[in-house]
Each structure stands twice: as C-alpha cells, then as structure tokens.
Amino acid sequence: MHAEFVQLSLTPILIGIFASVACALPGNFLILRRQALIGDAISHVVLPGIVVAFLLTGGVASMAMMLGAAGAAVLAVLLIEAVKRLGRIEPGAAMGVVFTSMFAGGVLLLEQSDTSSVHLDVQHALMGNLESLIWFKAKGWHSLADPAALAALPDELPRMALVCLVVVALTVIFWRPLKISTFDEGFARAIGLPVAAIGFGLVVTAAVAAVAAFDAVGSIIVIAMFICPPAAARLMTNRLEAQVLWSVGFAVLAAVLGYVFAGYGPLWFGGAEAVSAAGMIAAVSGLILGLACLFGPCRARVGQGRDPAEA
Amino acid sequence: MSDLLAALTLQAGYNAALVAIGAALLGFAAGAAGTFLFLRKRALVSDAVAHATLPGVGLAFILMVALGGDGRSLLGLLAGSAVTAGVGLLLVEWIARRTRLAEDAAIGAVLSVFFGIGVVLLTVIQTMSSGRQAGLESFLLGSTAGMLYLDAVVIAVGGALSVLAVWVLRRPMTLVSFDPDYAAACGYDVRRIDLAMMALVMAVTVIGLKIVGLILIVAMLIVPPVTARFWTERAGRVIWIAAGLGAVSGYVGAAVSASAPALPTGPIIVLTATALFLLSLLFAPARGVLAAVLRHRRFQRRVHRRQGLLALARGELIHDPLTLSVLRRAGLIRADGVATEAGRAQAAKAARDEHRWEIARLVNQDTALTGRYDGLTPIERVFTADQIAEFDRHLGPPRPVAGDAAGA
Amino acid sequence: MTPTMTTAARLAGLPAGLDLAAADGEALHPEAAAESPLSIRGLTVSYGEKPAVFSVDATFPDGALSAIIGPNGAGKSTLLKAALGIIPRLSGEVSVFGRPIDAARARIAYVPQRASVDWDFPTSVLDVVSMGLYRRLGLLRRMRSEERAHALACLERVGMTDFADRQIGQLSGGQQQRVFLARALAQGADLYLLDEPFAGVDAATERAIIEVLKSLRAEGRAVVCVHHDLSTVESYFDHVFLINVRRIAEGPVASTFTAGNLQATYGGRLAAGHIEQLRLGGGTA
Ligand SMILES: Nc1ncnc2c1ncn2[C@@H]1O[C@H](COP(=O)(O)OP(=O)(O)O)[C@@H](O)[C@H]1O
Ligand SMILES: [Mg+2]
C-alpha cells in the first residue's frame, strides 16, 4: 500500500501542490489588479508555443517545449499591450483578440505539420495528464533516501519544485513594490518605482508558472489555479499578507483533495478507473471558491471599489 | 486554386456548401451579438460561456446513453451544452454582483472550473463502453471533416435563426449597447434585453461548437466587433459592420477549409477575422495606428512651433532641439537661430493673439468661449472679427518683435 | 544676440497697464529658479489633441505654502502629475531643488486628488502609511519598532491614530484624505505636492490638514496645493500660481491674488461672482 502510494501518487500530488502554489501566488496580485484573465490568455497560447518549438527543433525535448511556451506567453503579453495601446481597445477585448488568434495559428500549424506520429497532442496540452507522472523506481518511503531511485524521479517534479521556489522567492523579494504599485499606481510612480517593469515582471512570472504547470495539469486548468485559490482567499480576510497565506493553503488543499478524489472517488462510487486528476483539482478549487462566496467572512465589498474609468 | 474557387462558389459538395452558408450566418450573428458584449466591456464573458459548454456536452452524452441512445446526436449535445453554458453565465453574474470579486475573476473561475469538470466527465465517458469513439474532443477545436448531413442542416438552420434573432432585436440592442440609461428612459426593459442578448451569445456559442470549437468560438464574438470599431464612431453602424465582417470571415474560412486537407475550419475562420483586424488596426482612416502616428507628429510639431514663436516674441532662448528644428524648417529662424522676417512677423502675431485671449477673459462674459483656449486654437476660430477688433482696442497697436532669440 | 535688443523686445511685447503673466516669471533670476523646490519651464501636456497645459513656466518658493488656482479643467491636476512624471509631457523641463525630477524623488511627497486606488484593497490604515517608508526600507528590510512608531506618529499628526487597524475602505472620504496625507508625512519629504486636499472633506478634516501644512512650513518645507476655495486663499497661503491652460500670474498672495488676475484666470461672470464675494482690491478691467 505504502509502496504503491509512493510509486503512483506521491509525485503527482507533489507536482500538483507545487503547480498550484506557483500559480496562486502571482494570482493574488493579478486578481487585485483586475488582470485575472491574463492567466487565461497566457495559458491559451501555450499550445502555439509548443507547436512552434516542435516545428523548429523537430523534437519533443521538454526544454525546447518550455522555451517555446514561455516565448509565446511573453509574445502574447506584449501583443496584448500593443493592441490595447495602439488600438485604444479595452483590455478584455484586446486579450480576446490576441490569444484566440495565436491559438488558431497554433492549431493550423499543428494540422499542417506532420505531428501525428509523435507525442504532441492537443488534448494533452489542454487537459494535462497528472496521473502519468509516476515514480517507477520507487519501492516505498525508503526510496526517498535512495540516490538511484531519486535519479529516476519524473523530470517534472524537480522542475515544478524549482519554479515554485523561484516564484516564492520573487514574491518575498518584491513584496513591497508589488503591494504598493498594485494598491496605488500613481503613488508608486511618484516615488519612482518602475511601475511598468513591475507589472511586466508579474505577468512574466505568471507565465513561467503557467508554462511549468501546463505539462502536468494542462493549460486550461492552470487558469483555475491562478484564480480560484486567491479569489477564495480574497473573501476570507482584509489583509494582503493573510490573503496570500490563505491562497497558498487553498491551493495545497485543492491539489491534494483533487488528486485523492480523482484517484479514489470513482472507487467509492463503484467505478473502476480514475478520472482526470487535473480536472478534479480545478473542480475542487471551484468548490472551495463556491463555499467562500457563500460563507467567507469578508465576502462583501468595502468602499467604493475601483472606478472603472480610472483603472 | 480551382478547388478554392469551387468552394467559394459553393460547388464543393452539398455539405460543404451548407457549412459555408451556416458559418456565414453564424459569423453574422456572432459579430452582432459580440458587439453588444464589446461595447459593454464584457467581451470575455463569452470565454466563460464557451468553456462552460464542455460539461454540458459530457452530461448530455451520458444522459443520452443512459436513456438508450448512442449519445452522439448533435442536437442533444448542443442542448446539453446550452444548459451548462447558461449556468456558467448566471454564476459569473452572481459572483460579480454578490461578492467583492470583480467580473474578470468570476469569468476566469467559471471558465476554468467548468472546463475542469468537463475534462473529468470526458474521462468518465472514456471508461464507458459506448464512450470510446464518442469523439466529444472534437468540440474543443471543432471539426467539419466528415460532418453528417443532418449536422450541417442543424448548423445552417441554427445560423439562420440567430440572424433572425439579431434582426428582431436590432433596435433595443443598439440602444442598450450604447446608452443603457437612455434605453431605460425610452421605456425598454434593459434587464430583459440584456438577458435576450446573452441568450443570443449563448446560442451562437453553442451552434459554433461543432464548426470552430469551444476555444475559438470566442474569437468570432470578439474579433469582428473590435475590428468594426476602427471604422466608425457611429452608434448603429458598429453592429452591422461587425456582423458583415463576421459573415465574411465565416464564409471565407469555411470555404477555404473545404478546399484542401489540413486546413481546419475553426482556425481558418479565426485567422481570416484576425487578418481583417490587423488591416484595420494599421490602416483605418481615423482610428488606425498609421493615421494616429501621423496625426500625433503633426500635432507635436504644431505645439513646438507655437511655443517657439511665443519664446521668440518674449526674446527667450530656445533650447529644445525639436522646437529649433521645427522653426528652422518653417523658415522662421535661420540656421544660426536668429529669427527671420517671417519668424518675427509670426511671433508678433502669436504674442498678440495671446494678449487678445487675455483681454477676452477680462471683457468677454461667455466662459464657454474663453474656455476654449488651449494655446493652439486660433482666436479667429472662436471669436468674430468684430469681437477681436474690440479686444484690439483694449490692446493698442501691434508691436514688432526683435530677431535674435534662438540660442544654440 | 544682443541682450539689449532682447530686453527691448520683451518689454515691447507687453501691453501697458495690465498685470499680466509674463512679467513676474521673467523678473526671476535664473539662480533663484535653480534653488526653487519646484521649477517648471515650457511645460505642455496634452490629452489627445487638446493641450490641457500649454507652455507653462512656474517657480515655487521654498519654505512657503503655495496655491495653484484656476477654474475646473484649467489643468491644475495635470500640471502636478506631469511635473511628477506620472503622465507624459509633450515638451518642457522640470527641476526639483535644482535637479532633475528622478534624482530628487526622495525629497518629494505627493497626495493625489481623491486617490484613484481600489478602496476594497486588503490593506489597513497603518499599512498605507507605512508605504511612505518604502524609500527608507527598501525591498527586504523589516520595519523596526522606531519606524512603526514614526508611522504611528504621522497618523497622530492627522488625528487618525484610532483608525490604524481599519481597512482603508471603511473610512469616510475626509478620513481617507488624512491617511494619504499621513503617508506623505511618513516620506519625510522637503516638497509636498497636494491635489485639492480640502475638496469634499468635512470642516474638522480641513482644520486638521491646514494645521499639518502650516507645521510643515514652520519646519522650513515647501508645500504646493491645488486649491479651489478662493475664500480661504489669503488665510492659508503665502504664494499663488494662477493657471488656465497657460500661466496667468504668479507671486506673493498680497500682490498677485487680485481681482484683475482672478478675472483673467476665470473669465466671464463666473469670476465676477467670486470677486464680489471676496471683496478684493486691485485693478478690475
Ligand atoms: N485622463 C484624461 N483624459 C483626457 N482628458 C483629460 C484627462 N484628465 C484630464 N483631462 C482634461 O484635461 C483638462 C484639465 O484637467 P485637470 O488637470 O484635471 O483640471 P483641473 O485639475 O484643473 O480641474 C480638462 O479639460 C480635462 O477634461
Ligand atoms: Mg483637478
């Protein structure tokens, strides 16, 4: 039982937790900046990114894929900004134009190229496949001390852990500028903070988290990780520090419960096979958000809210 | 090429023709309905609606199989998707209204959670014996290859019905999108029209699922209205231009896609719309980027010319390189910075106009007129010759300006 | 390039008998401008194709309370924001204590007109005031107890100590204004720029704010306020700057805040009403 857990479930759960936390942290600021949907845009362009990377390198090396996806995410962010400014179009519509166009380009390229022979399928990119990230060589908890077994951990685990660590570090280091520029952009500018660079850095961090996570959980479900835990946390407290801690807690909870429900839930209902863990994580995070919407102690608006004309 | 021509002239087969017509009708309705969302700054609500269709497709399939069917009836699947799309839409509105979360967070939450549930359902269906070849994944990206005749009819009829709905709703829709308060004052029930419009958005989304898929249908609702906005400032026109652009994209996209293999319908439709968008963004006469850049350069030069003239008139040194170059090119100062004859004359005129404005504020009672001062608007455009003559009486005779003001 | 000709031209450009703008600015020595806490030259700012501020020169004095006065839409807020680099300028130069604005940011504090912040933001009053300490704290250093005490003292100065732990959106408009002033105080600046600090606040807040501003002046700092209430100009301020897209006049209140200049600033009947209320002396047209 233990051996099986370590072999089949430990790594997916850990990857799920790291992915959720890495996305939830920048998600807090994106929500407060009314940019929640930038996560939507970024994750949709992951697909064209990996398609282009595949066409350029001819292989499915994960490093190239990651770089392709990250490149596409940054390009999308720049294009959205350009369309917004040049066309004087509101952010939502600008995002909609850019990410759908890039996605369409990706699908077209995919169909045009002969990728059917290799493992590069759209469904995987969109839906993820968390449960496939198992630790073959593990024989039980003691494998954690066995270098040979550790060397055979799925690549995704150290990668996601590293990204999560980097995101945590960035959040801690840039906490004050992020908080100040998110709360009062005019003041931030007046005291000389590089407001545009901070905003861009935040979005790029989110993009890196999304790109690292999509492999495991799929690019659409990443959006749930960006939005649901921080949104639920937003309804629990009136202090940013506490909100971020709540969001991390919710992210971990959703990852663990989602994986458990997906793996064991069907058994409870007499089913034989597990269902999509990534999908279930999204569903659980939605459930948490729903409960917070109904019962969260700070669910009501305070003050006048942001004047849409000034935002 | 002849394949493309055949497809564009609806001669590439009965199904292909039906799909092309359906896509054109759908594009028309999507452009019009999307304009409504766009003008109310809610474009991405459509994204939530679209992603929220996935669990509906799955549930409908499971239900139809449970009732003994094979579960693949397009009409049934679309009905199911409409139900969850509606639920998703209501949830977005409920979250944004009842909690402190803004609409964008609500949209993101609903679209990702519903999609996640949909993915869970798809994996459930894969474990069902009848589910292995369900092909429900085709709703992600759409697919018209090997479409059944009946499905093509559903799409064409659905598209036609949506266009009909647009036609019926055209007046309240125009009013409510541009000025909800005025519409309410005219006796329209804004809330009900809002609902009707959202129902139309949902209908378009659902009908479009099979052709363009749930991820790209959003583009048909967003891109044409954004494009149309570049071409007009007039209220009612955006809707019809967007509808036209949508119809063209739908028709061309579907036809091109039918003309050759490996040209998936959804992406081609979207990329056609994107091409139209890019052309408009760059070249539209008033709001296009090119026009804006030219206008801004012209304007900046006007400002610097005027500021330079005023500095000449006051005998100040000019340091700003752009000001110097503007004056030099206009022949108002010489290469060494000394004002020319023309420069002195224009500087004197500029200074005199400034003083006329000052007098105007002292003697003219109409602040609506004096309030039009912005440093650039010629005084002759605001006041009549008689009024200006009166200001001049207060001002005394014109004085010349000396010529040596500009410094290196 | 003869100076005499330049002077002659300048004098020739001025109409006789009106105390108009150009005279004051020109009379200033360049050295005075270099030491000024805020000096602006040839500033033009435009939204779209309509300049909101056109070719404005201004020099504010040190250790004084200055008011920027003009009708609605005259470009007062725009002037401040462009001077701070919050919005881009089309042309012009700004210097703060004789240095470019970016080199002098640590010496400036700015309180916007009804800050365009998200009032629903998860942050407490004391948190907001502590944001004023950012330049001192940098990225990572934790707030020490003396810095916390400093932030609390700033709250005390505006009379808001009791609200330190409230969420910022739970305050009234006047209280919020005071909190933003406290944040500016926490910055420990030498130049304070305030945009309509008295607009829409209750009488108690207005008194609290003007007391703070006067104490800043007593400490030798410069304060520049956008101000709309003509009836309090003389009791609150030392120096006025009148603007209506262009500079109309600038100088000590006693010599510059005249009916003639107000007429030239506001124009029309509007000014006539104001002036009658004020019963000011000075040359009317
Ligand atoms: N963000 C903006 N976009 C377009 N026009 C603006 C903007 N802000 C101010 N304006 C215009 O610029 C002019 C000056 O505005 P402002 O500086 O706010 O005036 P004041 O503070 O003196 O009342 C007004 O005509 C106003 O309508
Ligand atoms: Mg103002």
Side-chain angles (χ1 to χ4, degrees), chain C residues 76-78 113 195-196 226:
Chain C
K76 306 180 295 290
S77 302
T78 305
Q113 177 180 16
D195 197 346
E196 306 227 10
V226 172

Side-chain angles (χ1 to χ4, degrees), chain A residues 43-44 46-48 50-51 103-113 115-116 118-129 214-215 217-221, chain B residues 115 119 122 137-142 212 214-216 264 267:
Chain A
S43 47
H44 276 92
V46 159
L47 176 80
I50 57 177
V51 172
F103 191 90
V107 176
L108 180 61
L109 279 178
L110 193 66
E111 294 278 327
Q112 291 276 305
S113 62
T115 48
S116 49
V118 288
H119 173 77
L120 176 68
D121 71 279
V122 179
Q123 271 183 59
H124 179 147
L126 293 179
M127 302 181 186
N129 198 359
F214 93 87
D215 210 14
V217 298
S219 63
I220 309 285
I221 290 158
Chain B
F115 190 85
V119 170
L122 290 189
E137 292 78 16
S138 74
F139 285 97
L140 288 180
L141 299 176
V212 287
L214 67 88
I215 294 177
L216 288 179

